[in-house]
Amino acid sequence: MHPQPLTEELASHFKKVNDFRSHIYQLQNAWDSLALMAQLSGTGSEMEETRTAFNKISNAVLRHLSEETLHKTAAQLTSKAFEVINLLIRNLFERTADIGFFATDDDVRGYLEKHAAGAVTAHEQLRITHRFQEYQNKYTVYENIALFDMAGNLLHQLDASQQTLVDQHAIFKLAAQSSAPYVEYFYETEINGKPYQSLMYAHEVRSSDGLRSLGVLCLCFKFVNELQTIFQNLISGSDWTIGILLDEHRHVIASSDPHQIPIGITLCADTDKDWFVARFAGREYLCVTKQAENYQGYSGPGWLGQAMIPLEYAFNQSMQGMISNIDAEILRKVMRSPLIFSESLLNIPKQAANIQSKLNQSVWNGNIWQSNYVNTQQKNFSKSLLSEISNTGHKTQQIIEGMVSELYQTVVSVMLENSSFYAQLAVEIMDRNLYERANDVRWWALTHVFRECLGNAQLSAQDKNQISSILRYINGLYTVYDNLIVFDRQGTVIAVSNPRYNELIDSQLTEEWVGRTRSCTSSQDYVVSQFEPTPLYNHQATYIYAAPIRHLDGNSIVGGIGIVFDSKPQFQAMLRDVIPRDKTDTPVSGSFTLFVNEQLKVISSTHADFATGDDFALMPEISNLNEGQRLFDIAIYHHTYYAVGVHAAYGYREFKGAEDDYRNKVFALIFTPLGNVNEINQRITAESQVIHNKFNPNLFLQNAEDSQEYATFYVGNSWLGIEARFVREAIDEVQLRTLPESAPFIAGMHPYGDQVIPIIDLARMLGHAHYFTDYRQIVVIEDKAAALKFGVFVSALGEIPYLAPNQIQPMNTFFKGISNNPGIAIANLAQQSMLTLMNAQSLWEKVTIGQQRQTEQAML
């Protein structure tokens, strides 16, 4: 596959992305205005670096979001294109086996031989009609059955209303001259005067000794009906996707919406591209074309599956339906998974927060400068401008975080949708396969030799050998069975197809399904065993399909046939076919799939932990699903988060349908890994310890006549402040030097201008747990009267509010015995936590007391 470049024309249809882009553009305009005002007013705040950094991150996120938006839709189209062609090919594979076997039918041979001898009677005509009708009743995928003699004359067809035979001579000629096991022929016919497409399978009928050609048998597949069924299950009424089937010349031979994409037109198709844009009838479509995957050596007639959606509707799907039922906390954690997101994507929120922190520092320093060096009138304007700059930074950060969240959710929803799609595909493959098993057993029960031999009073050795020979022949054609068994009315085994089970011959079958077989009332009835271990399958669990064998007079049951489904390799093959794949069509590492029955017993699994017959306790809620219902969720298994898609089987055609007494609810589950629980938790814990952006732009700042400005900051979660007149600025830590035998609260010495100043570790002084920042900030404090200049490490910067004296309560108003000048007071501001106020001198005294105690302890 060749990745396609994302064009501007295509990106113009990404509504959600473009909404974000519009918000970013609006904020960029605001930045331009604020930058000009800041420059003219001299606020002391530098924004150019911040604007550039925000723009760089915004553009990166918009690009990633655009790519994932495209990938989400392309992935949906890819799944549908694959399902259109692959489900059809699997179905047609069964048809190639049917025609080869039906062409050896004794009744068909007998009719052709009598026709060649001129001995066909009305009774023979009725008999062949009944035979064809019985076959169609079992294999309802056929709409007509036709029989030709060697001259190419139509001798009999089941549905005379179909004028199949505009091309009858071409079909006959192909089949008569072919040495292939079947002839596959697609053509247009007419029904009631209207054009109609049909797919025919033909095979030469030869005499039982194989020496003479007798005629040609044709099975007409319900092509139109089958494609309608596929489209109906694939595309909901609210989905704008169009499912298409193209022939080898790129002609449309089936369309889920023939009003938009009519039958017969030629469409652009490209299997070498992940996606492409095509124009038809004045409308542009996003398209994906897929070739059939080879199925047991059969790749079909060379047709292609295509899914396409009008560009104006391609990217409007909401993710809320996909993630609304997911536990919010689990979803939040999964969106920090390094398994599904690159480190660069995971770091974007942190980068945005760092940029905002730098902006906060610039705004904070601007406020400090305004407080200390600018007159009141200009100060009020500048502080309002700085507040707006900070607000704009917060808005930009929030937009970026919103885009990142949308990006994360898009990626996770794609994985959930993929799991759900593959679960639906799994049950469709399973039910279509088992549908054929129900058909096979009923048809083989009508085998003339079986009915004739079992109808005799006694079975001769020759009869048993003949039955065994037929069973071996059938099993050779239909390799999905481990064994075929014919038993008499008492349940005694007469013959088997697999010599490994010869010890069963003459033994009595006691399984409950044998009794149910004798209770069947018509040739349409069949029974299925429970999925359980059985000696008929080497004591492994499987399904056994059975049907009664009736006397040739049709009045009594003379025995039965049981066909043992080779469940272990067959179910494994189905589950392997639906393992989720990544963008390169490679199976996703760590994914696994299961079939589970209504009793929550494992039928089959690709994971070693879930053996056949084990209880499946991981998601007990799946048992509440009705047939055809689905769910998707995020589950935890072995310390790993998984996207899980579940679909309850809903049958195929009449199999397990309203007119079928057989019910067997099976669930397909697809598990796609999303990340290791411990690894994600460790990441989230580390991220939670990084403190960012404690600015509250909504804090009401009022300049009363007797109020003072306080520079505030955070140490851990403690909100602290000091009069702004004692604060010089906030700087980044660039070169800290530790000191030997220093006070416990001194972190070291740091250059400041042409000096070095001591740095206080307030977190240690306040007894806080260690906190982390991506870069450490230092607030420089100076009390000229006390000849003090030092710095304090802070977690984040806060606002610089005005506080009136009546808002401040010294500590000695709360506790008796505290000195009148402890240097600590409390201010409680609306919409904020409690603010603890300090002064420079008392803070430094705390340090010197600590130094003194350390010295005294050292002397002792």
Side-chain angles (χ1 to χ4, degrees):
M1 290 293 176
H2 305 299
Q4 297 295 101
L6 178 59
T7 64
E8 288 187 14
E9 182 182 2
L10 190 62
S12 67
H13 294 278
F14 300 168
K15 184 179 184 304
K16 192 76 174 180
V17 177
N18 292 330
D19 286 346
F20 280 124
R21 183 176 281 111
S22 176
H23 291 316
I24 291 294
Y25 286 163
Q26 290 174 10
L27 286 171
Q28 286 175 347
N29 292 333
W31 280 117
D32 291 339
S33 300
L34 290 171
L36 178 61
M37 294 172 68
Q39 186 176 5
L40 294 174
S41 64
T43 59
S45 177
E46 177 54 52
M47 293 183 295
E48 188 58 37
E49 183 180 347
T50 300
R51 296 170 61 202
T52 302
F54 271 143
N55 285 342
K56 184 177 179 180
I57 288 184
S58 299
N59 291 333
V61 179
L62 284 169
R63 185 181 70 255
H64 283 298
L65 185 53
S66 296
E67 290 170 354
E68 290 301 332
T69 298
L70 174 59
H71 171 61
K72 176 179 169 64
T73 301
Q76 293 169 337
L77 294 176
T78 298
S79 299
K80 291 170 183 176
F82 263 134
E83 184 164 346
V84 168
I85 189 63
N86 284 341
L87 282 182
L88 179 64
I89 292 305
R90 284 173 173 272
N91 196 324
L92 299 188
F93 169 76
E94 298 283 352
R95 313 292 64 91
T96 65
D98 288 349
I99 187 62
F101 181 69
F102 198 13
T104 65
D105 186 78
D106 286 338
D107 288 333
V108 173
R109 284 172 172 162
Y111 181 84
L112 285 172
E113 287 177 333
K114 287 181 181 179
H115 170 75
V120 173
T121 64
H123 175 73
E124 296 295 336
Q125 288 278 10
L126 256 166
R127 184 174 173 180
I128 197 66
T129 298
H130 178 72
R131 189 69 173 161
F132 283 4
Q133 188 63 62
E134 282 282 14
Y135 192 86
Q136 190 192 46
N137 288 344
K138 311 299 182 288
Y139 298 90
T140 55
V141 294
Y142 297 114
E143 58 194 359
N144 198 11
I145 304 172
L147 187 63
F148 300 88
D149 66 15
M150 285 309 297
N153 299 310
L154 177 63
L155 302 183
H156 189 81
Q157 66 171 330
L158 189 61
D159 185 359
S161 69
Q162 293 193 39
Q163 279 113 52
T164 53
L165 313 180
V166 177
D167 291 324
Q168 71 182 62
H169 294 294
I171 298 167
F172 168 79
K173 186 176 179 181
L174 282 171
Q177 296 178 355
S178 175
S179 59
Y182 61 89
V183 168
E184 196 172 44
Y185 191 79
F186 181 74
Y187 66 99
E188 276 200 357
T189 181
E190 286 188 1
I191 294 182
N192 299 323
K194 295 182 179 179
Y196 188 74
Q197 295 160 305
S198 189
L199 180 61
M200 183 175 285
Y201 288 83
H203 198 287
E204 183 185 22
V205 181
R206 302 187 68 83
S207 59
S208 56
D209 57 14
L211 300 177
R212 292 176 295 117
S213 295
L214 303 176
V216 170
L217 178 69
C218 297
L219 295 175
C220 300
F221 177 64
K222 288 182 178 177
F223 173 81
V224 173
N225 175 267
E226 175 64 13
L227 266 297
Q228 287 173 342
T229 300
I230 291 174
F231 291 147
Q232 182 179 353
N233 291 335
L234 183 65
I235 301 170
S236 67
S238 59
D239 190 346
W240 280 87
T241 304
I242 307 167
I244 301 293
L245 186 68
L246 301 169
D247 68 12
E248 62 273 27
H249 304 297
R250 302 332 193 228
H251 299 147
V252 175
I253 54 176
S255 170
S256 65
D257 188 349
H259 297 290
Q260 280 197 75
I261 308 295
I263 306 296
I265 65 164
T266 302
L267 276 185
C268 176
D270 194 334
T271 58
D272 292 329
K273 294 180 179 178
D274 292 327
W275 55 268
F276 59 94
V277 176
R279 181 177 296 176
F280 177 74
R283 199 174 206 179
E284 288 186 308
Y285 295 85
L286 185 70
C287 308
V288 173
T289 311
K290 290 298 174 184
Q291 293 175 316
E293 293 177 321
N294 187 287
Y295 179 65
Q296 298 192 21
Y298 175 74
S299 56
W303 296 344
L304 303 171
Q306 183 159 303
M308 49 200 300
I309 186 169
L311 280 184
E312 64 265 36
Y313 298 104
F315 309 104
N316 294 342
Q317 305 99 319
S318 171
M319 290 179 295
Q320 291 309 307
M322 182 64 63
I323 64 173
S324 58
N325 295 325
I326 306 296
D327 181 273
E329 181 63 15
I330 289 179
L331 186 62
R332 181 185 71 85
K333 290 184 175 182
V334 164
M335 291 196 298
R336 304 306 300 158
S337 169
L339 180 65
I340 54 178
F341 301 107
S342 67
E343 198 64 27
S344 61
L345 283 180
L346 289 172
N347 283 334
I348 285 175
K350 183 172 70 175
Q351 291 171 3
N354 283 344
I355 295 169
Q356 181 63 29
S357 291
K358 293 293 290 183
L359 177 65
N360 288 347
Q361 182 177 311
S362 178
V363 169
W364 199 84
N365 286 336
N367 270 304
I368 293 295
W369 187 80
Q370 296 287 327
S371 299
N372 293 328
Y373 303 108
V374 178
N375 62 61
T376 302
Q377 184 175 359
Q378 184 180 349
K379 182 192 302 185
N380 289 340
F381 169 77
S382 296
K383 288 178 74 70
S384 297
L385 178 58
L386 288 168
S387 178
E388 187 57 35
I389 290 172
S390 180
N391 263 319
T392 304
H394 276 284
K395 290 176 184 177
T396 306
Q397 182 185 354
Q398 288 170 359
I399 291 294
I400 291 172
E401 290 175 349
M403 290 193 297
V404 171
S405 177
E406 184 78 12
L407 173 60
Y408 291 165
Q409 291 182 39
T410 299
V411 174
V412 173
S413 71
V414 167
M415 301 188 78
L416 287 168
E417 282 186 333
N418 280 345
S419 294
S420 178
F421 162 75
Y422 284 113
Q424 179 181 1
L425 183 59
V427 295
E428 289 223 23
I429 290 173
M430 180 196 65
D431 275 343
R432 287 163 177 266
N433 190 302
L434 299 183
Y435 159 84
E436 302 290 345
R437 313 300 59 99
N439 298 342
D440 290 346
V441 72
R442 291 179 294 172
W443 178 246
W444 296 336
L446 297 177
T447 302
H448 186 94
V449 171
F450 297 167
R451 300 172 70 185
E452 184 177 46
C453 292
L454 288 173
N456 294 333
Q458 284 191 331
L459 274 171
S460 66
Q462 183 180 358
D463 290 338
K464 292 181 180 181
N465 287 337
Q466 189 176 9
I467 293 173
S468 295
S469 177
I470 293 173
L471 291 179
R472 286 194 297 273
Y473 172 72
I474 295 173
N475 209 165
L477 290 175
Y478 294 82
T479 56
V480 297
Y481 301 110
D482 181 59
N483 194 19
L484 309 180
I485 302 168
V486 166
F487 51 91
D488 65 16
R489 180 167 176 77
Q490 286 72 42
T492 303
V493 177
I494 302 301
V496 297
S497 66
N498 189 337
R500 289 191 293 113
Y501 295 95
N502 279 342
E503 73 275 6
L504 293 174
I505 295 176
D506 295 329
S507 67
Q508 193 83 16
L509 297 177
T510 59
E511 285 80 357
E512 58 82 26
W513 55 264
V514 178
R516 286 193 285 127
T517 303
R518 289 192 286 262
S519 301
C520 293
T521 59
S522 78
S523 62
Q524 286 298 100
D525 293 341
Y526 68 98
V527 301
V528 187
S529 72
Q530 296 295 317
F531 188 81
E532 59 189 7
T534 171
L536 305 183
Y537 190 52
N538 197 26
H539 301 282
Q540 299 179 89
T542 191
Y543 292 115
I544 299 175
Y545 290 74
I549 297 174
R550 297 181 178 276
H551 194 280
L552 286 174
D553 62 15
N555 293 326
S556 61
I557 293 174
V558 293
I561 180 172
I563 58 178
V564 183
F565 184 57
D566 197 3
S567 63
K568 187 173 181 179
Q570 293 300 320
F571 282 140
Q572 281 290 302
M574 295 178 202
L575 291 176
R576 284 195 299 270
D577 283 349
V578 296
I579 287 283
R581 296 177 179 271
D582 61 19
K583 296 178 183 179
T584 64
D585 203 32
T586 303
V588 175
S589 177
S591 294
F592 62 94
T593 57
L594 305 94
F595 285 132
V596 176
N597 67 16
E598 193 169 7
Q599 291 73 43
L600 297 184
K601 297 285 187 181
V602 175
I603 292 174
S604 186
S605 161
T606 61
H607 195 297
D609 288 356
F610 299 99
T612 298
D614 284 353
D615 291 324
F616 182 76
L618 185 57
M619 297 180 69
E621 66 272 19
I622 68 173
S623 61
N624 298 322
L625 292 177
N626 295 322
E627 292 177 348
Q629 288 187 322
R630 67 173 183 169
L631 67 81
F632 23 76
D633 204 347
I634 296 175
I636 301 175
Y637 181 68
H638 278 191
H639 305 293
T640 299
Y641 289 110
Y642 287 91
V644 186
V646 187
H647 213 109
Y650 45 90
Y652 173 64
R653 295 188 179 272
E654 71 282 353
F655 177 64
K656 295 198 291 189
E659 298 179 2
D660 189 357
D661 292 334
Y662 178 54
R663 285 291 179 273
N664 181 37
K665 197 190 311 186
V666 175
F667 310 98
L669 297 97
I670 311 295
F671 284 74
T672 308
L674 298 175
N676 180 272
V677 172
N678 294 334
E679 185 178 354
I680 293 172
N681 285 342
Q682 289 170 7
R683 185 183 192 96
I684 290 173
T685 300
E687 290 175 345
S688 69
Q689 293 174 327
V690 177
I691 299 173
H692 277 298
N693 302 331
K694 289 287 190 172
F695 265 30
N696 180 0
N698 297 317
L699 181 66
F700 179 69
L701 307 176
Q702 184 175 4
N703 183 8
E705 288 185 6
D706 55 350
S707 62
Q708 293 291 332
E709 287 181 277
Y710 282 81
T712 72
F713 44 83
Y714 290 82
V715 176
N717 289 319
S718 295
W719 190 27
L720 308 174
I722 191 167
E723 279 192 62
R725 61 192 176 96
F726 295 117
V727 175
R728 299 283 74 85
E729 63 178 320
I731 62 173
D732 297 336
E733 180 210 340
V734 291
Q735 194 176 11
L736 182 72
R737 290 288 182 267
T738 58
L739 295 175
E741 299 182 1
S742 63
F745 306 139
I746 295 293
M749 304 297 289
H750 193 278
Y752 182 69
D754 57 357
Q755 300 176 286
V756 290
I757 59 175
I759 306 299
I760 298 174
D761 188 341
L762 276 180
R764 185 182 299 176
M765 180 181 289
L766 296 174
H768 285 316
H770 188 59
Y771 63 88
F772 301 86
T773 57
D774 293 323
Y775 63 92
R776 296 201 289 181
Q777 296 182 86
I778 297 171
V779 171
V780 179
I781 297 172
E782 182 177 21
D783 186 341
K784 292 182 179 180
L788 292 175
K789 183 183 285 188
F790 58 90
V792 294
F793 273 137
V794 301
S795 309
L797 299 171
E799 298 74 21
I800 302 179
Y802 288 95
L803 295 178
N806 60 4
Q807 293 178 279
I808 301 171
Q809 293 178 273
M811 287 294 289
N812 60 3
T813 64
F814 298 103
F815 303 103
K816 300 295 183 183
I818 295 180
S819 65
N820 291 329
N821 187 25
I824 299 177
I826 300 298
N828 191 19
L829 302 184
Q831 303 180 40
Q832 275 286 8
S833 58
M834 186 173 62
L835 172 63
T836 302
L837 303 176
M838 305 176 295
N839 66 47
Q841 190 171 356
S842 63
L843 188 56
W844 188 252
E845 286 175 359
K846 179 78 171 175
V847 174
T848 55
I849 291 171
Q851 180 69 56
Q852 183 178 351
R853 287 177 180 172
Q854 181 172 325
T855 302
E856 291 172 352
Q857 289 175 356
M859 293 177 64
L860 293 174

